[in-house]
Structure formats: C-alpha cells, structure tokens
mmCIF file of all heavy atoms in Angstrom:
data_model
loop_
_atom_site.group_PDB
_atom_site.id
_atom_site.type_symbol
_atom_site.label_atom_id
_atom_site.label_comp_id
_atom_site.label_asym_id
_atom_site.label_seq_id
_atom_site.Cartn_x
_atom_site.Cartn_y
_atom_site.Cartn_z
ATOM 1 N N THR A 1 206.158 29.912 20.182
ATOM 2 C CA THR A 1 205.939 28.672 20.946
ATOM 3 C C THR A 1 207.237 27.908 21.154
ATOM 4 O O THR A 1 207.535 27.453 22.267
ATOM 5 C CB THR A 1 204.923 27.770 20.211
ATOM 6 O OG1 THR A 1 203.708 28.493 20.016
ATOM 7 C CG2 THR A 1 204.635 26.510 21.010
ATOM 8 N N ALA A 2 208.026 27.751 20.080
ATOM 9 C CA ALA A 2 209.288 27.011 20.184
ATOM 10 C C ALA A 2 210.266 27.707 21.122
ATOM 11 O O ALA A 2 210.967 27.051 21.904
ATOM 12 C CB ALA A 2 209.904 26.848 18.794
ATOM 13 N N THR A 3 210.294 29.030 21.065
ATOM 14 C CA THR A 3 211.199 29.786 21.937
ATOM 15 C C THR A 3 210.817 29.621 23.410
ATOM 16 O O THR A 3 211.679 29.394 24.273
ATOM 17 C CB THR A 3 211.175 31.285 21.565
ATOM 18 O OG1 THR A 3 211.524 31.431 20.186
ATOM 19 C CG2 THR A 3 212.163 32.068 22.412
ATOM 20 N N LEU A 4 209.523 29.726 23.711
ATOM 21 C CA LEU A 4 209.058 29.569 25.092
ATOM 22 C C LEU A 4 209.260 28.138 25.599
ATOM 23 O O LEU A 4 209.658 27.925 26.755
ATOM 24 C CB LEU A 4 207.577 29.949 25.189
ATOM 25 C CG LEU A 4 207.254 31.442 25.027
ATOM 26 C CD1 LEU A 4 205.742 31.655 24.994
ATOM 27 C CD2 LEU A 4 207.886 32.258 26.152
ATOM 28 N N MET A 5 209.001 27.152 24.732
ATOM 29 C CA MET A 5 209.177 25.759 25.135
ATOM 30 C C MET A 5 210.644 25.420 25.348
ATOM 31 O O MET A 5 210.984 24.573 26.172
ATOM 32 C CB MET A 5 208.547 24.832 24.088
ATOM 33 C CG MET A 5 207.025 24.851 24.094
ATOM 34 S SD MET A 5 206.288 23.897 22.756
ATOM 35 C CE MET A 5 206.731 22.231 23.246
ATOM 36 N N ASP A 6 211.516 26.077 24.608
ATOM 37 C CA ASP A 6 212.953 25.867 24.809
ATOM 38 C C ASP A 6 213.440 26.563 26.081
ATOM 39 O O ASP A 6 214.302 26.041 26.785
ATOM 40 C CB ASP A 6 213.723 26.398 23.597
ATOM 41 C CG ASP A 6 215.223 26.287 23.770
ATOM 42 O OD1 ASP A 6 215.736 25.146 23.778
ATOM 43 O OD2 ASP A 6 215.883 27.336 23.914
ATOM 44 N N ARG A 7 212.847 27.715 26.351
ATOM 45 C CA ARG A 7 213.267 28.490 27.533
ATOM 46 C C ARG A 7 212.779 27.860 28.827
ATOM 47 O O ARG A 7 213.513 27.780 29.830
ATOM 48 C CB ARG A 7 212.739 29.933 27.394
ATOM 49 C CG ARG A 7 212.922 30.812 28.628
ATOM 50 C CD ARG A 7 214.392 31.077 28.911
ATOM 51 N NE ARG A 7 214.536 31.899 30.104
ATOM 52 C CZ ARG A 7 214.528 31.450 31.362
ATOM 53 N NH1 ARG A 7 214.377 30.153 31.596
ATOM 54 N NH2 ARG A 7 214.680 32.268 32.375
ATOM 55 N N PHE A 8 211.528 27.399 28.823
ATOM 56 C CA PHE A 8 210.936 26.846 30.039
ATOM 57 C C PHE A 8 210.685 25.354 29.845
ATOM 58 O O PHE A 8 209.834 24.968 29.039
ATOM 59 C CB PHE A 8 209.620 27.564 30.372
ATOM 60 C CG PHE A 8 209.786 29.052 30.568
ATOM 61 C CD1 PHE A 8 209.395 29.927 29.570
ATOM 62 C CD2 PHE A 8 210.340 29.556 31.735
ATOM 63 C CE1 PHE A 8 209.533 31.299 29.742
ATOM 64 C CE2 PHE A 8 210.491 30.923 31.912
ATOM 65 C CZ PHE A 8 210.096 31.809 30.910
ATOM 66 N N ASP A 9 211.412 24.560 30.611
ATOM 67 C CA ASP A 9 211.342 23.107 30.448
ATOM 68 C C ASP A 9 209.960 22.547 30.782
ATOM 69 O O ASP A 9 209.501 21.597 30.157
ATOM 70 C CB ASP A 9 212.404 22.443 31.334
ATOM 71 C CG ASP A 9 212.592 20.970 30.989
ATOM 72 O OD1 ASP A 9 212.813 20.670 29.802
ATOM 73 O OD2 ASP A 9 212.498 20.136 31.898
ATOM 74 N N PHE A 10 209.276 23.150 31.760
ATOM 75 C CA PHE A 10 207.949 22.638 32.129
ATOM 76 C C PHE A 10 206.937 22.857 31.000
ATOM 77 O O PHE A 10 206.012 22.067 30.819
ATOM 78 C CB PHE A 10 207.464 23.284 33.430
ATOM 79 C CG PHE A 10 207.029 24.715 33.307
ATOM 80 C CD1 PHE A 10 205.701 25.036 33.062
ATOM 81 C CD2 PHE A 10 207.948 25.745 33.447
ATOM 82 C CE1 PHE A 10 205.296 26.352 32.952
ATOM 83 C CE2 PHE A 10 207.546 27.060 33.337
ATOM 84 C CZ PHE A 10 206.225 27.372 33.086
ATOM 85 N N LEU A 11 207.115 23.946 30.226
ATOM 86 C CA LEU A 11 206.249 24.178 29.065
ATOM 87 C C LEU A 11 206.512 23.136 27.978
ATOM 88 O O LEU A 11 205.573 22.659 27.324
ATOM 89 C CB LEU A 11 206.473 25.583 28.502
ATOM 90 C CG LEU A 11 205.920 26.760 29.293
ATOM 91 C CD1 LEU A 11 206.255 28.068 28.594
ATOM 92 C CD2 LEU A 11 204.412 26.633 29.457
ATOM 93 N N TYR A 12 207.789 22.787 27.811
ATOM 94 C CA TYR A 12 208.146 21.768 26.825
ATOM 95 C C TYR A 12 207.504 20.425 27.191
ATOM 96 O O TYR A 12 206.896 19.760 26.346
ATOM 97 C CB TYR A 12 209.668 21.628 26.753
ATOM 98 C CG TYR A 12 210.133 20.559 25.804
ATOM 99 C CD1 TYR A 12 210.242 20.804 24.436
ATOM 100 C CD2 TYR A 12 210.466 19.280 26.265
ATOM 101 C CE1 TYR A 12 210.672 19.825 23.556
ATOM 102 C CE2 TYR A 12 210.887 18.297 25.399
ATOM 103 C CZ TYR A 12 210.995 18.574 24.050
ATOM 104 O OH TYR A 12 211.407 17.585 23.186
ATOM 105 N N LYS A 13 207.624 20.047 28.463
ATOM 106 C CA LYS A 13 207.063 18.762 28.896
ATOM 107 C C LYS A 13 205.531 18.752 28.841
ATOM 108 O O LYS A 13 204.920 17.727 28.555
ATOM 109 C CB LYS A 13 207.527 18.447 30.320
ATOM 110 C CG LYS A 13 209.013 18.138 30.417
ATOM 111 C CD LYS A 13 209.429 17.907 31.862
ATOM 112 C CE LYS A 13 210.920 17.602 31.956
ATOM 113 N NZ LYS A 13 211.358 17.407 33.369
ATOM 114 N N ALA A 14 204.928 19.917 29.075
ATOM 115 C CA ALA A 14 203.469 19.994 29.114
ATOM 116 C C ALA A 14 202.853 20.035 27.718
ATOM 117 O O ALA A 14 201.836 19.372 27.455
ATOM 118 C CB ALA A 14 203.041 21.227 29.912
ATOM 119 N N PHE A 15 203.472 20.797 26.814
ATOM 120 C CA PHE A 15 202.822 21.074 25.534
ATOM 121 C C PHE A 15 203.340 20.248 24.357
ATOM 122 O O PHE A 15 202.659 20.159 23.334
ATOM 123 C CB PHE A 15 202.956 22.570 25.189
ATOM 124 C CG PHE A 15 202.079 23.439 26.035
ATOM 125 C CD1 PHE A 15 202.616 24.170 27.081
ATOM 126 C CD2 PHE A 15 200.719 23.522 25.799
ATOM 127 C CE1 PHE A 15 201.824 24.970 27.872
ATOM 128 C CE2 PHE A 15 199.906 24.316 26.580
ATOM 129 C CZ PHE A 15 200.455 25.042 27.626
ATOM 130 N N TYR A 16 204.524 19.648 24.483
ATOM 131 C CA TYR A 16 205.035 18.851 23.352
ATOM 132 C C TYR A 16 204.114 17.674 23.025
ATOM 133 O O TYR A 16 203.805 17.444 21.854
ATOM 134 C CB TYR A 16 206.456 18.360 23.646
ATOM 135 C CG TYR A 16 207.108 17.708 22.446
ATOM 136 C CD1 TYR A 16 207.687 18.476 21.444
ATOM 137 C CD2 TYR A 16 207.141 16.320 22.309
ATOM 138 C CE1 TYR A 16 208.280 17.887 20.337
ATOM 139 C CE2 TYR A 16 207.720 15.721 21.213
ATOM 140 C CZ TYR A 16 208.288 16.507 20.230
ATOM 141 O OH TYR A 16 208.862 15.926 19.121
ATOM 142 N N PRO A 17 203.632 16.908 24.022
ATOM 143 C CA PRO A 17 202.685 15.831 23.685
ATOM 144 C C PRO A 17 201.402 16.357 23.041
ATOM 145 O O PRO A 17 200.826 15.701 22.163
ATOM 146 C CB PRO A 17 202.387 15.177 25.037
ATOM 147 C CG PRO A 17 203.541 15.548 25.903
ATOM 148 C CD PRO A 17 203.952 16.901 25.458
ATOM 149 N N ILE A 18 200.955 17.558 23.465
ATOM 150 C CA ILE A 18 199.740 18.144 22.884
ATOM 151 C C ILE A 18 199.969 18.484 21.416
ATOM 152 O O ILE A 18 199.078 18.291 20.565
ATOM 153 C CB ILE A 18 199.306 19.388 23.684
ATOM 154 C CG1 ILE A 18 198.933 18.979 25.114
ATOM 155 C CG2 ILE A 18 198.139 20.097 23.001
ATOM 156 C CD1 ILE A 18 198.643 20.143 26.029
ATOM 157 N N LEU A 19 201.162 19.000 21.097
ATOM 158 C CA LEU A 19 201.495 19.307 19.697
ATOM 159 C C LEU A 19 201.420 18.043 18.840
ATOM 160 O O LEU A 19 200.917 18.077 17.707
ATOM 161 C CB LEU A 19 202.898 19.914 19.602
ATOM 162 C CG LEU A 19 203.080 21.347 20.087
ATOM 163 C CD1 LEU A 19 204.541 21.752 19.938
ATOM 164 C CD2 LEU A 19 202.192 22.293 19.319
ATOM 165 N N ILE A 20 201.922 16.948 19.379
ATOM 166 C CA ILE A 20 201.887 15.684 18.634
ATOM 167 C C ILE A 20 200.448 15.215 18.433
ATOM 168 O O ILE A 20 200.061 14.785 17.339
ATOM 169 C CB ILE A 20 202.703 14.593 19.380
ATOM 170 C CG1 ILE A 20 204.167 15.026 19.557
ATOM 171 C CG2 ILE A 20 202.617 13.267 18.638
ATOM 172 C CD1 ILE A 20 204.926 15.245 18.285
ATOM 173 N N ILE A 21 199.639 15.327 19.490
ATOM 174 C CA ILE A 21 198.240 14.877 19.417
ATOM 175 C C ILE A 21 197.460 15.682 18.381
ATOM 176 O O ILE A 21 196.614 15.131 17.663
ATOM 177 C CB ILE A 21 197.567 14.978 20.808
ATOM 178 C CG1 ILE A 21 198.180 13.931 21.756
ATOM 179 C CG2 ILE A 21 196.062 14.772 20.717
ATOM 180 C CD1 ILE A 21 197.783 14.110 23.202
ATOM 181 N N THR A 22 197.738 16.985 18.281
ATOM 182 C CA THR A 22 197.004 17.816 17.317
ATOM 183 C C THR A 22 197.204 17.348 15.885
ATOM 184 O O THR A 22 196.336 17.564 15.027
ATOM 185 C CB THR A 22 197.437 19.287 17.419
ATOM 186 O OG1 THR A 22 198.858 19.388 17.169
ATOM 187 C CG2 THR A 22 197.123 19.870 18.772
ATOM 188 N N GLN A 23 198.326 16.685 15.617
ATOM 189 C CA GLN A 23 198.598 16.227 14.249
ATOM 190 C C GLN A 23 197.872 14.932 13.904
ATOM 191 O O GLN A 23 197.897 14.492 12.760
ATOM 192 C CB GLN A 23 200.113 16.042 14.053
ATOM 193 C CG GLN A 23 200.899 17.316 14.184
ATOM 194 C CD GLN A 23 200.354 18.434 13.327
ATOM 195 O OE1 GLN A 23 200.376 18.346 12.107
ATOM 196 N NE2 GLN A 23 199.842 19.490 13.956
ATOM 197 N N THR A 24 197.245 14.311 14.885
ATOM 198 C CA THR A 24 196.475 13.093 14.624
ATOM 199 C C THR A 24 195.033 13.416 14.226
ATOM 200 O O THR A 24 194.287 12.527 13.817
ATOM 201 C CB THR A 24 196.458 12.183 15.870
ATOM 202 O OG1 THR A 24 195.778 12.851 16.942
ATOM 203 C CG2 THR A 24 197.877 11.840 16.303
ATOM 204 N N ILE A 25 194.637 14.688 14.359
ATOM 205 C CA ILE A 25 193.280 15.107 14.008
ATOM 206 C C ILE A 25 193.250 15.502 12.536
ATOM 207 O O ILE A 25 194.005 16.392 12.127
ATOM 208 C CB ILE A 25 192.819 16.293 14.879
ATOM 209 C CG1 ILE A 25 192.911 15.930 16.361
ATOM 210 C CG2 ILE A 25 191.401 16.710 14.507
ATOM 211 C CD1 ILE A 25 192.693 17.109 17.285
ATOM 212 N N PRO A 26 192.427 14.875 11.702
ATOM 213 C CA PRO A 26 192.376 15.231 10.270
ATOM 214 C C PRO A 26 191.905 16.671 10.077
ATOM 215 O O PRO A 26 190.918 17.095 10.683
ATOM 216 C CB PRO A 26 191.356 14.238 9.691
ATOM 217 C CG PRO A 26 191.208 13.167 10.712
ATOM 218 C CD PRO A 26 191.498 13.792 12.042
ATOM 219 N N THR A 27 192.604 17.415 9.234
ATOM 220 C CA THR A 27 192.239 18.812 8.992
ATOM 221 C C THR A 27 190.870 18.937 8.343
ATOM 222 O O THR A 27 190.150 19.910 8.580
ATOM 223 C CB THR A 27 193.284 19.488 8.091
ATOM 224 O OG1 THR A 27 193.469 18.706 6.906
ATOM 225 C CG2 THR A 27 194.614 19.629 8.802
ATOM 226 N N ILE A 28 190.508 17.944 7.539
ATOM 227 C CA ILE A 28 189.205 17.997 6.859
ATOM 228 C C ILE A 28 188.052 17.853 7.863
ATOM 229 O O ILE A 28 186.913 18.226 7.591
ATOM 230 C CB ILE A 28 189.116 16.912 5.762
ATOM 231 C CG1 ILE A 28 188.002 17.261 4.773
ATOM 232 C CG2 ILE A 28 188.914 15.523 6.367
ATOM 233 C CD1 ILE A 28 188.092 16.527 3.470
ATOM 234 N N ALA A 29 188.361 17.302 9.053
ATOM 235 C CA ALA A 29 187.348 17.210 10.109
ATOM 236 C C ALA A 29 187.228 18.519 10.880
ATOM 237 O O ALA A 29 186.167 18.828 11.442
ATOM 238 C CB ALA A 29 187.708 16.078 11.071
ATOM 239 N N ILE A 30 188.312 19.294 10.923
ATOM 240 C CA ILE A 30 188.300 20.576 11.636
ATOM 241 C C ILE A 30 187.628 21.660 10.806
ATOM 242 O O ILE A 30 186.941 22.531 11.346
ATOM 243 C CB ILE A 30 189.740 21.004 11.990
ATOM 244 C CG1 ILE A 30 190.420 19.956 12.868
ATOM 245 C CG2 ILE A 30 189.754 22.353 12.692
ATOM 246 C CD1 ILE A 30 191.880 20.222 13.099
ATOM 247 N N ALA A 31 187.815 21.609 9.480
ATOM 248 C CA ALA A 31 187.336 22.679 8.601
ATOM 249 C C ALA A 31 185.852 23.006 8.757
ATOM 250 O O ALA A 31 185.500 24.191 8.862
ATOM 251 C CB ALA A 31 187.665 22.323 7.149
ATOM 252 N N PRO A 32 184.943 22.008 8.794
ATOM 253 C CA PRO A 32 183.524 22.357 8.959
ATOM 254 C C PRO A 32 183.230 23.079 10.275
ATOM 255 O O PRO A 32 182.374 23.964 10.332
ATOM 256 C CB PRO A 32 182.820 20.991 8.916
ATOM 257 C CG PRO A 32 183.765 20.070 8.268
ATOM 258 C CD PRO A 32 185.115 20.560 8.634
ATOM 259 N N LEU A 33 183.957 22.711 11.334
ATOM 260 C CA LEU A 33 183.771 23.370 12.630
ATOM 261 C C LEU A 33 184.217 24.825 12.566
ATOM 262 O O LEU A 33 183.559 25.715 13.119
ATOM 263 C CB LEU A 33 184.559 22.631 13.711
ATOM 264 C CG LEU A 33 184.091 21.214 14.055
ATOM 265 C CD1 LEU A 33 185.054 20.568 15.046
ATOM 266 C CD2 LEU A 33 182.679 21.246 14.633
ATOM 267 N N LEU A 34 185.328 25.072 11.879
ATOM 268 C CA LEU A 34 185.825 26.444 11.746
ATOM 269 C C LEU A 34 184.842 27.306 10.962
ATOM 270 O O LEU A 34 184.627 28.474 11.291
ATOM 271 C CB LEU A 34 187.201 26.438 11.058
ATOM 272 C CG LEU A 34 188.351 25.778 11.830
ATOM 273 C CD1 LEU A 34 189.609 25.752 10.994
ATOM 274 C CD2 LEU A 34 188.601 26.503 13.148
ATOM 275 N N VAL A 35 184.261 26.715 9.913
ATOM 276 C CA VAL A 35 183.252 27.438 9.124
ATOM 277 C C VAL A 35 182.031 27.740 9.986
ATOM 278 O O VAL A 35 181.461 28.839 9.928
ATOM 279 C CB VAL A 35 182.853 26.624 7.873
ATOM 280 C CG1 VAL A 35 181.668 27.272 7.158
ATOM 281 C CG2 VAL A 35 184.033 26.505 6.914
ATOM 282 N N LEU A 36 181.638 26.779 10.809
ATOM 283 C CA LEU A 36 180.480 26.952 11.695
ATOM 284 C C LEU A 36 180.734 28.056 12.719
ATOM 285 O O LEU A 36 179.849 28.870 13.015
ATOM 286 C CB LEU A 36 180.168 25.631 12.404
ATOM 287 C CG LEU A 36 178.980 25.612 13.370
ATOM 288 C CD1 LEU A 36 177.675 25.838 12.618
ATOM 289 C CD2 LEU A 36 178.930 24.283 14.135
ATOM 290 N N TRP A 37 181.950 28.101 13.262
ATOM 291 C CA TRP A 37 182.279 29.074 14.298
ATOM 292 C C TRP A 37 182.586 30.464 13.735
ATOM 293 O O TRP A 37 182.258 31.472 14.352
ATOM 294 C CB TRP A 37 183.492 28.593 15.101
ATOM 295 C CG TRP A 37 183.235 27.340 15.885
ATOM 296 C CD1 TRP A 37 182.027 26.877 16.343
ATOM 297 C CD2 TRP A 37 184.214 26.384 16.307
ATOM 298 N NE1 TRP A 37 182.190 25.698 17.016
ATOM 299 C CE2 TRP A 37 183.535 25.355 17.018
ATOM 300 C CE3 TRP A 37 185.596 26.260 16.163
ATOM 301 C CZ2 TRP A 37 184.181 24.264 17.567
ATOM 302 C CZ3 TRP A 37 186.254 25.179 16.713
ATOM 303 C CH2 TRP A 37 185.541 24.191 17.408
ATOM 304 N N MET A 38 183.230 30.523 12.568
ATOM 305 C CA MET A 38 183.747 31.797 12.044
ATOM 306 C C MET A 38 183.032 32.301 10.797
ATOM 307 O O MET A 38 183.327 33.391 10.319
ATOM 308 C CB MET A 38 185.249 31.650 11.733
ATOM 309 C CG MET A 38 186.101 31.306 12.919
ATOM 310 S SD MET A 38 187.841 31.177 12.466
ATOM 311 C CE MET A 38 188.566 30.723 14.035
ATOM 312 N N GLY A 39 182.130 31.505 10.239
ATOM 313 C CA GLY A 39 181.418 31.949 9.048
ATOM 314 C C GLY A 39 182.108 31.529 7.765
ATOM 315 O O GLY A 39 183.031 30.710 7.766
ATOM 316 N N PHE A 40 181.652 32.115 6.643
ATOM 317 C CA PHE A 40 182.135 31.724 5.326
ATOM 318 C C PHE A 40 183.191 32.675 4.760
ATOM 319 O O PHE A 40 183.519 32.605 3.581
ATOM 320 C CB PHE A 40 180.957 31.640 4.346
ATOM 321 C CG PHE A 40 180.000 30.524 4.659
ATOM 322 C CD1 PHE A 40 178.879 30.749 5.436
ATOM 323 C CD2 PHE A 40 180.233 29.244 4.194
ATOM 324 C CE1 PHE A 40 177.998 29.722 5.743
ATOM 325 C CE2 PHE A 40 179.359 28.208 4.489
ATOM 326 C CZ PHE A 40 178.237 28.442 5.270
ATOM 327 N N GLY A 41 183.689 33.562 5.578
ATOM 328 C CA GLY A 41 184.692 34.521 5.122
ATOM 329 C C GLY A 41 186.092 33.918 5.066
ATOM 330 O O GLY A 41 186.277 32.698 4.983
ATOM 331 N N MET A 42 187.090 34.795 5.163
ATOM 332 C CA MET A 42 188.480 34.370 5.045
ATOM 333 C C MET A 42 189.043 33.823 6.362
ATOM 334 O O MET A 42 190.008 33.046 6.350
ATOM 335 C CB MET A 42 189.333 35.552 4.563
ATOM 336 C CG MET A 42 190.697 35.169 4.057
ATOM 337 S SD MET A 42 191.611 36.574 3.362
ATOM 338 C CE MET A 42 190.789 36.736 1.783
ATOM 339 N N ALA A 43 188.432 34.187 7.473
ATOM 340 C CA ALA A 43 188.970 33.816 8.796
ATOM 341 C C ALA A 43 189.133 32.309 8.997
ATOM 342 O O ALA A 43 190.208 31.858 9.435
ATOM 343 C CB ALA A 43 188.092 34.404 9.898
ATOM 344 N N PRO A 44 188.115 31.462 8.689
ATOM 345 C CA PRO A 44 188.308 30.020 8.906
ATOM 346 C C PRO A 44 189.374 29.417 7.993
ATOM 347 O O PRO A 44 190.063 28.473 8.381
ATOM 348 C CB PRO A 44 186.926 29.424 8.612
ATOM 349 C CG PRO A 44 186.225 30.431 7.787
ATOM 350 C CD PRO A 44 186.746 31.752 8.238
ATOM 351 N N LYS A 45 189.516 29.968 6.782
ATOM 352 C CA LYS A 45 190.543 29.465 5.855
ATOM 353 C C LYS A 45 191.939 29.749 6.399
ATOM 354 O O LYS A 45 192.818 28.878 6.419
ATOM 355 C CB LYS A 45 190.402 30.107 4.470
ATOM 356 C CG LYS A 45 189.269 29.578 3.616
ATOM 357 C CD LYS A 45 187.956 30.164 4.003
ATOM 358 C CE LYS A 45 186.862 29.839 3.000
ATOM 359 N NZ LYS A 45 185.547 30.313 3.432
#
C-alpha cells in the first residue's frame, strides 16, 4: 500500500484520509462483526 501510494499521487490523495478514518473505529467494535462473518476459527483473529 505504501509503495503504491508513494508511486501514484492520486492514490495517496484518495486513500490517505481513509487510512486515518479507519483508526478512529474501535477494534473491539470490529471484532464481533469479524466473528459473525468468519466464524470462531483463526481467520477473524
């Protein structure tokens, strides 16, 4: 991701704000959804 965003400026401008926004979402809120979508195995972890 970093290599592509450095190579293509439009990717950097498009996806850098999205990267920042993803860090505002609590991981403990995502975990139940991952378990629901992927089951109780190793994949959601």
Side-chain angles (χ1 to χ4, degrees):
T1 303
T3 303
L4 290 174
M5 288 174 68
D6 177 69
R7 172 66 181 83
F8 301 103
D9 192 52
F10 74 92
L11 287 179
Y12 178 83
K13 291 177 180 178
F15 287 103
Y16 188 81
I18 296 173
L19 287 179
I20 301 298
I21 291 169
T22 59
Q23 297 309 295
T24 64
I25 303 171
T27 53
I28 199 163
I30 301 172
L33 293 175
L34 294 176
V35 172
L36 180 66
W37 295 335
M38 299 181 182
F40 293 94
M42 195 175 284
K45 284 80 170 175

